[in-house]
Amino acid sequence: MEQFFNTYFDFGIMGDYFGDVLNGFWWTIRLSVFGGVLALIWGLILSVLRQLPGRLLSPIRILAIAYIDALRGIPMLLTLLLIAGGLGTLASQDAIPKEIGIPNWLGYPDPFWYGVMALTLTYGAYMAEVYRAGIEAVPRGQMEAARSLGMSHGQAMRYVIVPQAVRKVIPPLLNDFIALMKDTSLVSVLGFVEVVQVGQDVYSETFNPSALTLGAIMFLVFTIPLARLTDWLIKRQESKFERGIP
Amino acid sequence: MTETILKVSDLKKSYGDLHVLAGIDFELNKGEVVCVIGPSGSGKSTLLRCLNMLELPDAGRIELHGNEIYGGGKPKDLDVLRREVGMVFQQFNLFPHMSAKGNVTIAQDKVRNRKKKDCDARSIELLSEVGLADKIDEYPDRMSGGQQQRVAIARALAMDPEVMLFDEVTSALDPELVKGVLDVMRNLAESGMTMACVTHEMGFAREVGDRVIFMDGGVVVEQGDPDQVLGNPQEKRTKEFLGLVLSH
Ligand SMILES: Nc1ncnc2c1ncn2[C@@H]1O[C@H](COP(=O)(O)OP(=O)(O)OP(=O)(O)O)[C@@H](O)[C@H]1O
Ligand SMILES: [Mg+2]
């Protein structure tokens, strides 16, 4: 028992490396925020594309659906390696500009941006499905009532459907965000020193995983309240809003 | 001289092999109240929904004030049509995220582009007319079905439509709430509104209706004066249907 405790909770190591772990976690936060916000936007674009009406636009619709299915079906680790390997190689062969192939935007290193891209592409696909489900969960009669009052499709979406859908999508979007936050750890395979990589580095120095434990605790400080908030929102919705919708 | 507001000719609509409307002809004159009756699945809702293009017919012709708005292809002047034709649904379909006043106001504001002050005044006036002066700021989930349905009627009236379509608007209500809604419809009829009501309320059809249409199998089987169609039907199918309904 004591051995177990000393292995995972070596407070000496935790104290010595606290600053490094926190630095790593700060990168984790930045990856999450950039990836999360961009995925939110990309997902919205995808969900609009896949719901475009009419026969003329069906190729776009099919492409959007194929994209969503593909990105949800590939492990994000693979997507990340494909992006990093592909863009890096193309840039070194001058097939694409270096600023894009080996991005250094805002002074952040290229693995950071490869990570943000992978998170955006993957979680955009998940979030597109959440948006769609939210809109489909609004009863059909709502659209009909709005149209029968003379509203255009766009007006009906804006004033009637989306305001109701938003309430329904916030909890599942939060769930996706929690998952996204955890998946930022995959960027460590590119040698990027986010919190997991810091923990690993400390481990190879000290042969003790306590810095990893510290990283895990930092994750929990964020993910547990987010999960509680999600549950609370779902509960509140069930008791308040659902009752009124026939 | 009667003024025809809606004229429907040979209207057809199928879902796959199911011919829900197999050639409907009917007219709605100004100030007239037409009650549509018929067995479940006979196409009554589909007919109403085609009249304001919530459902696109397959063939036929619909005229509003003599202007063709549907002639077999794409509907024309859909905006005009939807503004002139109000609809009330069996399931109310109130917007749950808006108060009673919000429900009545939103289309006045966004579709009719009325000034905020005028919208509010009109909403309050209409909600008072349907007996809900004290529920103006209430949300739908805190109102009874009968109250919700009366808000829905006020919401449709707020667009100042020339025709109102009612699709079994009392069928989802508890029996004691039916009367309040029917009273509102009766007042509306007396005020001269042109109305087409799909209904199972034979008493209402007889008392308020100027004409009754009996539909079965996607066609109009019999129509005429309510006392005549309901009291002394000529067609076998009408007799059978009324026999079933009235024996309850
Ligand atoms: N969107 C649809 N797709 C396929 N079939 C449909 C659709 N809408 C209606 N139908 C079918 O068309 C037929 C007529 O439906 P409709 O709702 O017009 O009947 P109704 O006379 O209003 O019946 P009720 O009295 O039960 O309301 C039914 O058999 C129904 O199942
Ligand atoms: Mg019906």
Side-chain angles (χ1 to χ4, degrees):
Chain A
M1 190 60 213
E2 204 188 312
Q3 231 170 359
F4 173 89
F5 197 83
N6 286 338
T7 304
Y8 284 106
F9 294 91
D10 185 324
F11 291 129
I13 289 177
M14 284 186 181
D16 289 348
Y17 292 95
F18 187 83
D20 294 327
V21 176
L22 197 62
N23 264 336
F25 194 70
W26 176 224
W27 280 114
T28 299
I29 297 276
R30 276 178 285 184
L31 276 171
S32 306
V33 169
F34 278 91
V37 170
L38 290 174
L40 218 54
I41 296 167
W42 178 226
L44 190 62
I45 294 171
L46 284 170
S47 76
V48 169
L49 289 182
R50 83 163 285 170
Q51 286 180 53
L52 287 174
R55 202 175 309 158
L56 211 65
L57 298 169
S58 69
I60 298 178
R61 213 157 47 226
I62 290 167
L63 273 178
I65 292 170
Y67 170 93
I68 291 168
D69 285 350
L71 269 288
R72 291 197 307 161
I74 302 173
M76 198 191 103
L77 178 57
L78 209 57
T79 306
L80 177 69
L81 292 172
L82 285 170
I83 291 172
L87 290 187
T89 310
L90 287 171
S92 66
Q93 293 169 351
D94 286 326
I96 53 172
K98 283 235 162 22
E99 299 79 61
I100 293 174
I102 308 173
N104 194 17
W105 308 321
L106 303 178
Y108 295 169
D110 51 305
F112 177 86
W113 293 113
Y114 296 145
V116 169
M117 287 178 207
L119 290 165
T120 303
L121 294 182
T122 304
Y123 279 88
Y126 283 110
M127 289 179 182
E129 289 298 278
V130 171
Y131 288 122
R132 182 171 72 106
I135 285 170
E136 282 176 0
V138 178
R140 210 173 103 100
Q142 292 289 311
M143 180 54 103
E144 296 186 343
R147 298 307 297 274
S148 78
L149 289 168
M151 289 190 207
S152 65
H153 181 84
Q155 285 179 320
M157 288 301 277
R158 171 147 174 231
Y159 301 116
V160 176
I161 307 298
V162 171
Q164 294 181 63
V166 163
R167 292 178 186 149
K168 292 170 199 280
V169 299
I170 288 174
L173 285 180
L174 275 174
N175 266 333
D176 276 350
F177 181 74
I178 294 170
L180 176 149
M181 195 172 180
K182 293 187 291 181
D183 271 355
T184 57
S185 59
L186 292 171
V187 189
S188 63
V189 299
L190 304 181
F192 184 65
V193 286
E194 46 65 69
V195 69
V196 173
Q197 187 60 40
V198 173
Q200 279 289 27
D201 291 348
V202 175
Y203 176 75
S204 19
E205 248 172 68
T206 62
F207 298 104
N208 181 291
S210 291
L212 286 166
T213 310
L214 189 58
I217 292 169
M218 288 183 185
F219 265 108
L220 292 178
V221 167
F222 278 80
T223 52
I224 289 179
L226 275 176
R228 288 285 131 257
L229 174 68
T230 310
D231 287 353
W232 179 75
L233 285 173
I234 292 172
K235 261 236 173 63
R236 198 184 64 152
Q237 257 179 19
E238 277 167 1
S239 62
K240 188 159 172 230
F241 296 117
E242 303 302 313
R243 203 156 35 98
I245 300 169
Chain B
M1 176 71 208
T2 54
E3 183 191 344
T4 303
I5 293 197
L6 262 180
K7 183 169 156 61
V8 174
S9 331
D10 202 24
L11 198 69
K12 292 186 175 142
K13 173 77 188 173
S14 315
Y15 295 111
D17 291 340
L18 186 67
H19 299 290
V20 180
L21 300 180
I24 298 271
D25 297 280
F26 102 110
E27 286 180 14
L28 200 53
N29 298 319
K30 192 167 177 63
E32 201 182 17
V33 178
V34 171
C35 292
V36 183
I37 61 170
S40 182
S42 57
K44 307 180 297 293
S45 297
T46 307
L47 172 62
L48 282 202
R49 294 162 56 79
C50 283
L51 289 184
N52 75 350
M53 297 287 153
L54 283 181
E55 212 76 66
L56 189 64
D58 297 332
R61 193 178 152 86
I62 300 176
E63 286 171 31
L64 183 70
H65 287 307
N67 299 320
E68 178 180 288
I69 46 157
Y70 174 77
K74 270 196 161 185
K76 289 165 220 156
D77 298 330
L78 206 56
D79 300 345
V80 178
L81 172 72
R82 296 243 175 86
R83 257 180 278 148
E84 299 304 333
V85 181
M87 182 147 182
V88 185
F89 303 85
Q90 182 173 352
Q91 297 297 336
F92 330 138
N93 296 342
L94 287 188
F95 307 135
H97 56 303
M98 298 178 195
S99 66
K101 195 174 89 182
N103 268 276
V104 183
T105 303
I106 181 80
Q108 297 185 63
D109 176 10
K110 305 300 176 194
V111 179
R112 287 281 195 209
N113 294 318
R114 282 193 193 134
K115 289 202 200 77
K116 170 111 177 46
K117 211 177 69 203
D118 299 342
C119 293
D120 280 0
R122 182 89 176 112
S123 299
I124 291 168
E125 179 191 13
L126 281 166
L127 285 168
S128 306
E129 269 172 34
V130 298
L132 295 172
D134 55 337
K135 300 281 179 196
I136 282 166
D137 294 316
E138 204 68 273
Y139 279 78
D141 66 341
R142 299 178 45 124
M143 287 190 260
S144 75
Q147 291 168 338
Q148 290 189 53
Q149 193 59 293
R150 283 183 277 152
V151 175
I153 294 173
R155 177 175 71 175
L157 289 174
M159 299 303 289
D160 298 324
E162 273 211 74
V163 186
M164 286 281 283
L165 308 175
F166 294 86
D167 189 2
E168 296 194 36
V169 297
T170 56
S171 297
L173 299 179
D174 292 336
E176 73 272 19
L177 302 176
V178 169
K179 186 172 174 298
V181 172
L182 290 183
D183 284 346
V184 167
M185 291 170 68
R186 188 176 292 118
N187 290 341
L188 199 57
E190 274 163 16
S191 76
M193 178 60 79
T194 311
M195 298 163 54
C197 317
V198 172
T199 186
H200 289 307
E201 301 287 338
M202 295 303 156
F204 178 84
R206 186 174 278 217
E207 185 202 334
V208 181
D210 297 310
R211 190 150 47 98
V212 166
I213 291 181
F214 173 69
M215 271 180 75
D216 193 13
V219 294
V220 174
V221 175
E222 184 168 358
Q223 63 172 311
D225 182 73
D227 286 326
Q228 214 248 287
V229 176
L230 300 174
N232 183 23
Q234 302 299 306
E235 298 288 332
K236 185 162 159 283
R237 276 191 282 176
T238 319
K239 286 178 196 164
E240 282 170 2
F241 173 72
L242 289 172
L244 281 174
V245 174
L246 299 176
S247 67
H248 272 299

